Every structure is written in C-alpha cells, then in structure tokens.
Amino acid sequence: MRIVFFGSPDFAVPSLEALVAAGHEVVFAVSQPAKPVGRSAEVADPPLARRARELGIPVFQPQTLKDDVAVARLAEANADLFVVVAYGKILAQRVLDLPRLGCVNVHGSVLPRWRGASPVQAALLAGDAETGVSIMRMEAGMDTGGVFADLRTPIGADENAGGLSARLAEAGAALLVATLPRIASGEALAAPQADALATACPKIRREDGRADFTRPALELARRLRAFTPWPGLFAYRGGRRVKLLAARGTEGRRGATPGEVLAAGDEIVLACGEGALSVTTLQAEGRKPLGAGAFSRGERVVAGEVWS
C-alpha cells in the first residue's frame, strides 16, 4: 500500500517502523517543524522525523497544512492512504479527501472515551482500570470517526504516562498493521462511536504539573503518574521549585494546613485537602534527584514548614 505517514512524538515511531517492516511503501513522512527543546533550548526535530530519516524516508515539515503549497505536495504523493499517529495538528477536509482509501488514525484510548490531545494522561488522572488503542477513520471532528478496530489493556498499579504510552504505541502499531489489509479489501467496516458516552481531554500544559495541596492526596498521586515524564509534579518550598518524583497517598492529620510538612525523614509527608502525600524521591531545582532522607538532611526540611 502507498502511504503518507503523519506523526511527531515517540508514540508515532513504532507505527512507522511497523508499516515499513510490513512492506508498505511510505512515500514520505509529515512531521512538526523542528523547535527548541529542553533546558538548553537547542533546536531539534521531533522523534518521528529523526526516525524516518534513519529509515531513508523523506520528511516534510510544513508550518501549516492549510496553504495550497502543502496540499499540492500531499496530492502529488498519489497515496492510497494517509496514516496519522499523534501528528499534533487538525487535518482539513480537503486534506482528508486526498487519498484513495481515506485517512486512518491510531489513537491512544478506546474511543469514544478520551477524545483529544492527552488520552493516556487522562486515563491515569481519572483512575481508569483499563485503556487501549483504537484504529479510527478520520473525519473533520476531533476523534469522532468510526472505529475499524480497538484493543483493551489493564493499567498497571504503578504505571506512569511514559511507560503506558510506550506500551500503547507498540500495541497500536501491531493493530494498525493487522487492520490495514482488511481496510484495503473493504472487509473492515468503521463502526460509529457512541457519542453519548464520549469524554474529552485537553492538551497538557506545563503549569498542570503544579501540586495543589488542597486536593486529595490520592488525586495528587494520580497526577504524578499522569504527568511523568512531562511536565512532572512539582511544588515550591519558599521560592524554590521542587519536583516530586515518587509519592503515594496516605493518611493525614485532621486540621493540618495543606502543604504542611507532617514528617521529614525517609519520607517527607505533606498534608493535603484529604489525607497526605508521602514523598520518597525529590529533586530541587538545579540539583540531582535524592531520596527523601538525604533531601531532608541536605535541605534541612523540618516538620511544620509549608510547601505550596
């Protein structure tokens, strides 16, 4: 099958690799433009663009797909199918109409649950017991198209967004390759989604990682898993930012101020709106990660101080 592949982050890489391994002709890959990343702000290509070049696949990185030049480049590919995996931009209808067999998306949830930009994080934030991947026919609405195939998997008790995303990316790639021949033959039918059951998830922002200690401790523990590796869960001690790298919800003390340090030792226990957050690994800004005991001694953390 002659395919144009759209994708940007690590989540998209296994699907591209699987298509190549299955013998499909990937004409070129479309990815987001290079941008500054990390503390050094060094300009770098998205992971998908780097992997495509390693595989010898040409890469197209337009600023927009709305202009005639970009649409003409896509039309010239004369593709049977566009495959989209976490590309990061909405495709206009005139783009969706280009390939002979339409556009297929690999989505990191079992639709219609968690339509939107952050399905993996949303499942962890909500405390879902299971999630999965969907192979969906794309249409103009946000993740509203019919579903060709899906796969469900339990969420591990200690699994974070990084680990779960990697696992779903591999599962989605395998499901994609298994489904494409059935799409090409017309055997696979896209089942309409139950719109009444749909839930939505927004794009994650850096400030979403700030710990709000007025919230229940169990919720903060879920946020830590959902926002690892990015943006992480962080708080402020005085004016200094501290990343909370490993923590669990536990019992608190009635009447304590949210953010108050209840104990400082092998665990740093912080009061929450309900219960307390027991933190075992932390990282002060500009320092290396430390266990709570070493952090408490080095930073002179004492019971009664309040973090925000």
Side-chain angles (χ1 to χ4, degrees):
M1 196 177 297
R2 187 173 170 86
I3 292 171
V4 173
F5 188 93
F6 295 68
S8 296
D10 288 319
F11 186 82
V13 171
S15 287
L16 176 66
E17 294 175 335
L19 290 175
V20 172
H24 294 289
E25 179 188 1
V26 180
V27 186
F28 59 84
V30 185
S31 193
Q32 296 274 11
K35 63 180 181 180
V37 296
R39 297 174 67 89
S40 65
E42 184 177 349
V43 176
D45 276 327
L48 188 283
R50 298 198 299 270
R51 184 59 181 138
R53 290 194 176 94
E54 290 172 355
L55 294 169
I57 298 170
V59 177
F60 179 38
Q61 294 174 277
Q63 292 290 340
T64 177
L65 292 177
K66 295 180 179 178
D67 64 39
D68 292 341
V69 174
V71 175
R73 172 78 186 274
L74 296 171
E76 289 167 1
N78 194 28
D80 297 311
L81 189 73
F82 288 175
V83 173
V84 182
V85 187
Y87 172 53
K89 290 183 179 178
I90 302 290
L91 271 58
Q93 189 62 52
R94 66 172 179 162
V95 173
L96 297 175
D97 290 340
L98 288 174
R100 179 176 64 88
L101 295 173
C103 301
V104 168
N105 176 240
V106 180
H107 186 76
S109 77
V110 179
L111 292 167
R113 189 158 178 80
W114 305 130
R115 294 174 176 171
S118 57
V120 176
Q121 292 87 348
L124 291 166
L125 282 171
D128 289 354
E130 67 171 16
T131 185
V133 289
S134 301
I135 310 297
M136 177 194 68
R137 179 185 293 283
M138 293 183 68
E139 58 180 35
M142 175 65 80
D143 300 328
T144 56
V147 176
F148 290 110
D150 59 29
L151 176 152
R152 295 174 181 269
T153 180
I155 298 176
D158 296 322
E159 205 162 27
N160 63 32
L164 180 57
S165 181
R167 195 158 63 82
L168 294 179
E170 295 291 345
L175 188 61
L176 172 68
V177 169
T179 305
L180 287 192
R182 299 176 59 241
I183 293 175
S185 68
E187 178 187 352
L189 301 177
Q193 297 184 36
D195 291 340
L197 301 178
T199 54
C201 51
K203 186 176 181 179
I204 302 298
R205 305 165 301 169
R206 183 178 297 275
E207 56 266 34
D208 290 329
R210 181 161 186 172
D212 178 357
F213 292 110
T214 67
R215 305 301 302 167
L218 292 178
E219 178 184 314
L220 288 180
R222 289 199 302 269
R223 295 181 77 82
L224 173 56
R225 292 170 58 203
F227 295 151
T228 298
W230 190 89
L233 185 69
F234 58 89
Y236 286 89
R237 182 176 181 241
R240 195 175 178 194
R241 180 166 141 151
V242 178
K243 292 189 75 170
L244 313 179
L245 301 177
R248 61 183 176 86
T250 186
E251 293 185 0
R253 188 186 72 206
R254 189 179 298 275
T257 301
E260 179 181 344
V261 175
L262 303 179
D266 291 339
E267 296 181 328
I268 293 177
V269 182
L270 296 154
C272 297
E274 291 178 17
L277 194 67
S278 178
V279 186
T280 55
T281 309
L282 309 89
Q283 183 178 17
E285 197 166 22
R287 303 289 183 87
K288 64 181 182 181
L290 292 173
F295 187 95
S296 295
R297 293 188 295 273
E299 300 288 336
R300 299 182 180 178
V301 180
V302 296
E305 66 180 55
V306 177
W307 297 17
S308 60

